[in-house]
Amino acid sequence: MVAVCMVLVGPSAPSGALFAGSRPAGAVRDVVPNRVMTWNICNPCEVSDVHRAAEIAAYAPQVVGLQEACVRDVERIREYLENLHGLVYHVEYGTVLRKWGRCGGTPWSPGAYGQAILSAAPMTDPVAVEYPDGGSEDRGYMAVTTTVGDRSVRVFNTHLAQRRQEAVRTDQTRVLAAELARHDRAILLGDLNAVPDAPELGGIWALATDADPQCRPSPTGTCGPTTDWQTKFDYVFLRGIVPLEHRVLPSPYSDHHLLHTDLDLT
């Protein structure tokens, strides 16, 4: 019976002791109150959620935007963050499709896939929007209002159409920019699948700046790569907010790097 349960649950699930509520010494930890992170966690990939949780916990951001996120992976990650690292997060989802090949489950009940936001503070007014045209795969954005530092901020999280689909991304950023423009103070996290000087990102650049002060939408900007193929596709865009420190952190557990930024919200 034990062997059968192990097969059904899978190697990424927390142990029974963790589910029973045990926590590490010194829990609960505090998050860094003005830190936000974005990370495409890579699905489907043969990666343990315990390692993904450890990567997030190493930097303890107040808000995390995840792309290529399966709901059941995110739930495991949250459990590991709390039970192994003493970090407690709320969660909201921006599901765009249900796909067995992406997220497992069963053929008649496949797992949900899309974006997710983890926040140490409660979130309100969540929205999940699927773009009218996702390109080769359904894509969308989500948004919540939550606390960053001690200020209320609208936080967006998106994943745009895959490479070589510039026209589709142009339409997607038009939808996203119209919503972003409604807020004087906002953070946009995500994998935009476009380099900084790509024409389709023009509408976003007109409204916000990259958290990396050296990164600008011009060939002379020094935008460091955020992927294993040495391209910048991942962004922390800020509207009405000043960055303090920005870091790009390669990870062995995804083909995208983690980005985190500390913010001045005074």
PDB file of all heavy atoms in Angstrom, residues 101-124:
ATOM      1  N   GLY A 101      -0.615  17.166 -20.949  1.00  0.00           N
ATOM      2  CA  GLY A 101       0.788  17.118 -21.336  1.00  0.00           C
ATOM      3  C   GLY A 101       1.636  18.129 -20.606  1.00  0.00           C
ATOM      4  O   GLY A 101       2.847  17.950 -20.453  1.00  0.00           O
ATOM      5  N   ARG A 102       1.036  19.215 -20.149  1.00  0.00           N
ATOM      6  CA  ARG A 102       1.759  20.246 -19.407  1.00  0.00           C
ATOM      7  C   ARG A 102       1.774  19.950 -17.905  1.00  0.00           C
ATOM      8  O   ARG A 102       2.807  20.072 -17.252  1.00  0.00           O
ATOM      9  CB  ARG A 102       1.093  21.611 -19.618  1.00  0.00           C
ATOM     10  CG  ARG A 102       1.462  22.307 -20.906  1.00  0.00           C
ATOM     11  CD  ARG A 102       2.829  22.941 -20.810  1.00  0.00           C
ATOM     12  NE  ARG A 102       3.088  23.834 -21.933  1.00  0.00           N
ATOM     13  CZ  ARG A 102       4.217  24.508 -22.086  1.00  0.00           C
ATOM     14  NH1 ARG A 102       5.177  24.399 -21.191  1.00  0.00           N
ATOM     15  NH2 ARG A 102       4.397  25.278 -23.128  1.00  0.00           N
ATOM     16  N   CYS A 103       0.630  19.617 -17.367  1.00  0.00           N
ATOM     17  CA  CYS A 103       0.470  19.624 -15.913  1.00  0.00           C
ATOM     18  C   CYS A 103       0.018  18.302 -15.322  1.00  0.00           C
ATOM     19  O   CYS A 103      -0.307  18.249 -14.127  1.00  0.00           O
ATOM     20  CB  CYS A 103      -0.524  20.718 -15.515  1.00  0.00           C
ATOM     21  SG  CYS A 103       0.062  22.383 -15.889  1.00  0.00           S
ATOM     22  N   GLY A 104      -0.004  17.247 -16.114  1.00  0.00           N
ATOM     23  CA  GLY A 104      -0.382  15.960 -15.550  1.00  0.00           C
ATOM     24  C   GLY A 104      -1.864  15.894 -15.253  1.00  0.00           C
ATOM     25  O   GLY A 104      -2.687  16.503 -15.932  1.00  0.00           O
ATOM     26  N   GLY A 105      -2.213  15.136 -14.216  1.00  0.00           N
ATOM     27  CA  GLY A 105      -3.612  14.858 -13.944  1.00  0.00           C
ATOM     28  C   GLY A 105      -4.044  13.635 -14.711  1.00  0.00           C
ATOM     29  O   GLY A 105      -3.266  12.686 -14.898  1.00  0.00           O
ATOM     30  N   THR A 106      -5.247  13.640 -15.206  1.00  0.00           N
ATOM     31  CA  THR A 106      -5.758  12.548 -16.033  1.00  0.00           C
ATOM     32  C   THR A 106      -6.251  13.117 -17.349  1.00  0.00           C
ATOM     33  O   THR A 106      -6.547  14.320 -17.435  1.00  0.00           O
ATOM     34  CB  THR A 106      -6.917  11.826 -15.321  1.00  0.00           C
ATOM     35  OG1 THR A 106      -7.998  12.770 -15.106  1.00  0.00           O
ATOM     36  CG2 THR A 106      -6.471  11.256 -13.982  1.00  0.00           C
ATOM     37  N   PRO A 107      -6.371  12.303 -18.386  1.00  0.00           N
ATOM     38  CA  PRO A 107      -6.860  12.824 -19.671  1.00  0.00           C
ATOM     39  C   PRO A 107      -8.224  13.491 -19.556  1.00  0.00           C
ATOM     40  O   PRO A 107      -8.523  14.423 -20.300  1.00  0.00           O
ATOM     41  CB  PRO A 107      -6.900  11.581 -20.557  1.00  0.00           C
ATOM     42  CG  PRO A 107      -5.862  10.671 -19.973  1.00  0.00           C
ATOM     43  CD  PRO A 107      -5.928  10.904 -18.490  1.00  0.00           C
ATOM     44  N   TRP A 108      -9.077  13.018 -18.640  1.00  0.00           N
ATOM     45  CA  TRP A 108     -10.410  13.604 -18.486  1.00  0.00           C
ATOM     46  C   TRP A 108     -10.445  14.728 -17.445  1.00  0.00           C
ATOM     47  O   TRP A 108     -11.444  15.417 -17.306  1.00  0.00           O
ATOM     48  CB  TRP A 108     -11.423  12.528 -18.116  1.00  0.00           C
ATOM     49  CG  TRP A 108     -11.063  11.757 -16.872  1.00  0.00           C
ATOM     50  CD1 TRP A 108     -11.407  12.035 -15.592  1.00  0.00           C
ATOM     51  CD2 TRP A 108     -10.263  10.578 -16.831  1.00  0.00           C
ATOM     52  NE1 TRP A 108     -10.867  11.120 -14.737  1.00  0.00           N
ATOM     53  CE2 TRP A 108     -10.160  10.195 -15.470  1.00  0.00           C
ATOM     54  CE3 TRP A 108      -9.624   9.784 -17.790  1.00  0.00           C
ATOM     55  CZ2 TRP A 108      -9.434   9.083 -15.052  1.00  0.00           C
ATOM     56  CZ3 TRP A 108      -8.912   8.674 -17.366  1.00  0.00           C
ATOM     57  CH2 TRP A 108      -8.826   8.328 -16.023  1.00  0.00           C
ATOM     58  N   SER A 109      -9.339  14.921 -16.729  1.00  0.00           N
ATOM     59  CA  SER A 109      -9.253  16.008 -15.751  1.00  0.00           C
ATOM     60  C   SER A 109      -7.811  16.516 -15.684  1.00  0.00           C
ATOM     61  O   SER A 109      -7.100  16.311 -14.702  1.00  0.00           O
ATOM     62  CB  SER A 109      -9.711  15.543 -14.367  1.00  0.00           C
ATOM     63  OG  SER A 109      -9.673  16.618 -13.430  1.00  0.00           O
ATOM     64  N   PRO A 110      -7.360  17.171 -16.750  1.00  0.00           N
ATOM     65  CA  PRO A 110      -5.960  17.623 -16.790  1.00  0.00           C
ATOM     66  C   PRO A 110      -5.720  18.795 -15.861  1.00  0.00           C
ATOM     67  O   PRO A 110      -6.642  19.521 -15.468  1.00  0.00           O
ATOM     68  CB  PRO A 110      -5.783  18.034 -18.257  1.00  0.00           C
ATOM     69  CG  PRO A 110      -7.152  18.425 -18.705  1.00  0.00           C
ATOM     70  CD  PRO A 110      -8.094  17.514 -17.977  1.00  0.00           C
ATOM     71  N   GLY A 111      -4.448  18.997 -15.514  1.00  0.00           N
ATOM     72  CA  GLY A 111      -4.081  20.069 -14.602  1.00  0.00           C
ATOM     73  C   GLY A 111      -4.178  21.447 -15.239  1.00  0.00           C
ATOM     74  O   GLY A 111      -4.065  21.601 -16.457  1.00  0.00           O
ATOM     75  N   ALA A 112      -4.380  22.463 -14.397  1.00  0.00           N
ATOM     76  CA  ALA A 112      -4.510  23.846 -14.854  1.00  0.00           C
ATOM     77  C   ALA A 112      -3.131  24.485 -14.987  1.00  0.00           C
ATOM     78  O   ALA A 112      -2.224  24.234 -14.198  1.00  0.00           O
ATOM     79  CB  ALA A 112      -5.369  24.634 -13.877  1.00  0.00           C
ATOM     80  N   TYR A 113      -3.009  25.358 -15.984  1.00  0.00           N
ATOM     81  CA  TYR A 113      -1.717  25.919 -16.389  1.00  0.00           C
ATOM     82  C   TYR A 113      -1.875  27.400 -16.702  1.00  0.00           C
ATOM     83  O   TYR A 113      -2.887  27.840 -17.256  1.00  0.00           O
ATOM     84  CB  TYR A 113      -1.232  25.182 -17.632  1.00  0.00           C
ATOM     85  CG  TYR A 113      -0.011  25.740 -18.313  1.00  0.00           C
ATOM     86  CD1 TYR A 113       1.262  25.402 -17.885  1.00  0.00           C
ATOM     87  CD2 TYR A 113      -0.130  26.589 -19.416  1.00  0.00           C
ATOM     88  CE1 TYR A 113       2.396  25.893 -18.532  1.00  0.00           C
ATOM     89  CE2 TYR A 113       0.997  27.084 -20.064  1.00  0.00           C
ATOM     90  CZ  TYR A 113       2.257  26.735 -19.618  1.00  0.00           C
ATOM     91  OH  TYR A 113       3.361  27.219 -20.254  1.00  0.00           O
ATOM     92  N   GLY A 114      -0.853  28.188 -16.352  1.00  0.00           N
ATOM     93  CA  GLY A 114      -0.863  29.613 -16.675  1.00  0.00           C
ATOM     94  C   GLY A 114       0.093  30.378 -15.790  1.00  0.00           C
ATOM     95  O   GLY A 114       1.259  30.016 -15.666  1.00  0.00           O
ATOM     96  N   GLN A 115      -0.405  31.447 -15.161  1.00  0.00           N
ATOM     97  CA  GLN A 115       0.397  32.264 -14.257  1.00  0.00           C
ATOM     98  C   GLN A 115      -0.082  32.065 -12.819  1.00  0.00           C
ATOM     99  O   GLN A 115      -1.186  31.588 -12.580  1.00  0.00           O
ATOM    100  CB  GLN A 115       0.282  33.752 -14.602  1.00  0.00           C
ATOM    101  CG  GLN A 115       0.999  34.175 -15.861  1.00  0.00           C
ATOM    102  CD  GLN A 115       0.286  33.709 -17.113  1.00  0.00           C
ATOM    103  OE1 GLN A 115       0.792  32.881 -17.858  1.00  0.00           O
ATOM    104  NE2 GLN A 115      -0.909  34.215 -17.354  1.00  0.00           N
ATOM    105  N   ALA A 116       0.746  32.494 -11.876  1.00  0.00           N
ATOM    106  CA  ALA A 116       0.359  32.537 -10.468  1.00  0.00           C
ATOM    107  C   ALA A 116       1.112  33.674  -9.799  1.00  0.00           C
ATOM    108  O   ALA A 116       2.229  34.011 -10.198  1.00  0.00           O
ATOM    109  CB  ALA A 116       0.664  31.215  -9.769  1.00  0.00           C
ATOM    110  N   ILE A 117       0.492  34.261  -8.795  1.00  0.00           N
ATOM    111  CA  ILE A 117       1.146  35.263  -7.956  1.00  0.00           C
ATOM    112  C   ILE A 117       1.097  34.781  -6.518  1.00  0.00           C
ATOM    113  O   ILE A 117       0.029  34.429  -5.999  1.00  0.00           O
ATOM    114  CB  ILE A 117       0.476  36.642  -8.073  1.00  0.00           C
ATOM    115  CG1 ILE A 117       0.692  37.222  -9.481  1.00  0.00           C
ATOM    116  CG2 ILE A 117       1.033  37.611  -7.030  1.00  0.00           C
ATOM    117  CD1 ILE A 117       0.005  38.563  -9.706  1.00  0.00           C
ATOM    118  N   LEU A 118       2.262  34.759  -5.874  1.00  0.00           N
ATOM    119  CA  LEU A 118       2.367  34.517  -4.447  1.00  0.00           C
ATOM    120  C   LEU A 118       2.632  35.847  -3.761  1.00  0.00           C
ATOM    121  O   LEU A 118       3.481  36.619  -4.213  1.00  0.00           O
ATOM    122  CB  LEU A 118       3.524  33.562  -4.139  1.00  0.00           C
ATOM    123  CG  LEU A 118       3.532  32.194  -4.816  1.00  0.00           C
ATOM    124  CD1 LEU A 118       4.762  31.399  -4.377  1.00  0.00           C
ATOM    125  CD2 LEU A 118       2.259  31.426  -4.513  1.00  0.00           C
ATOM    126  N   SER A 119       1.926  36.101  -2.670  1.00  0.00           N
ATOM    127  CA  SER A 119       2.118  37.351  -1.936  1.00  0.00           C
ATOM    128  C   SER A 119       2.054  37.069  -0.450  1.00  0.00           C
ATOM    129  O   SER A 119       1.171  36.350   0.024  1.00  0.00           O
ATOM    130  CB  SER A 119       1.036  38.372  -2.313  1.00  0.00           C
ATOM    131  OG  SER A 119       1.145  39.535  -1.518  1.00  0.00           O
ATOM    132  N   ALA A 120       2.990  37.653   0.292  1.00  0.00           N
ATOM    133  CA  ALA A 120       2.965  37.497   1.737  1.00  0.00           C
ATOM    134  C   ALA A 120       1.771  38.212   2.352  1.00  0.00           C
ATOM    135  O   ALA A 120       1.275  37.807   3.400  1.00  0.00           O
ATOM    136  CB  ALA A 120       4.264  38.024   2.340  1.00  0.00           C
ATOM    137  N   ALA A 121       1.298  39.266   1.710  1.00  0.00           N
ATOM    138  CA  ALA A 121       0.113  39.992   2.169  1.00  0.00           C
ATOM    139  C   ALA A 121      -1.113  39.500   1.400  1.00  0.00           C
ATOM    140  O   ALA A 121      -0.990  38.997   0.278  1.00  0.00           O
ATOM    141  CB  ALA A 121       0.299  41.490   1.949  1.00  0.00           C
ATOM    142  N   PRO A 122      -2.292  39.641   1.963  1.00  0.00           N
ATOM    143  CA  PRO A 122      -3.504  39.261   1.223  1.00  0.00           C
ATOM    144  C   PRO A 122      -3.624  40.026  -0.088  1.00  0.00           C
ATOM    145  O   PRO A 122      -3.117  41.150  -0.221  1.00  0.00           O
ATOM    146  CB  PRO A 122      -4.631  39.625   2.196  1.00  0.00           C
ATOM    147  CG  PRO A 122      -3.997  39.615   3.545  1.00  0.00           C
ATOM    148  CD  PRO A 122      -2.591  40.107   3.330  1.00  0.00           C
ATOM    149  N   MET A 123      -4.313  39.429  -1.048  1.00  0.00           N
ATOM    150  CA  MET A 123      -4.539  40.043  -2.347  1.00  0.00           C
ATOM    151  C   MET A 123      -6.025  40.298  -2.543  1.00  0.00           C
ATOM    152  O   MET A 123      -6.863  39.513  -2.096  1.00  0.00           O
ATOM    153  CB  MET A 123      -4.009  39.130  -3.458  1.00  0.00           C
ATOM    154  CG  MET A 123      -2.506  39.008  -3.482  1.00  0.00           C
ATOM    155  SD  MET A 123      -1.874  37.811  -4.690  1.00  0.00           S
ATOM    156  CE  MET A 123      -2.006  36.275  -3.755  1.00  0.00           C
ATOM    157  N   THR A 124      -6.343  41.390  -3.223  1.00  0.00           N
ATOM    158  CA  THR A 124      -7.725  41.734  -3.515  1.00  0.00           C
ATOM    159  C   THR A 124      -7.888  42.033  -4.997  1.00  0.00           C
ATOM    160  O   THR A 124      -6.904  42.216  -5.719  1.00  0.00           O
ATOM    161  CB  THR A 124      -8.180  42.957  -2.699  1.00  0.00           C
ATOM    162  OG1 THR A 124      -7.354  44.089  -3.053  1.00  0.00           O
ATOM    163  CG2 THR A 124      -8.057  42.698  -1.206  1.00  0.00           C
TER     164      THR A 124
END
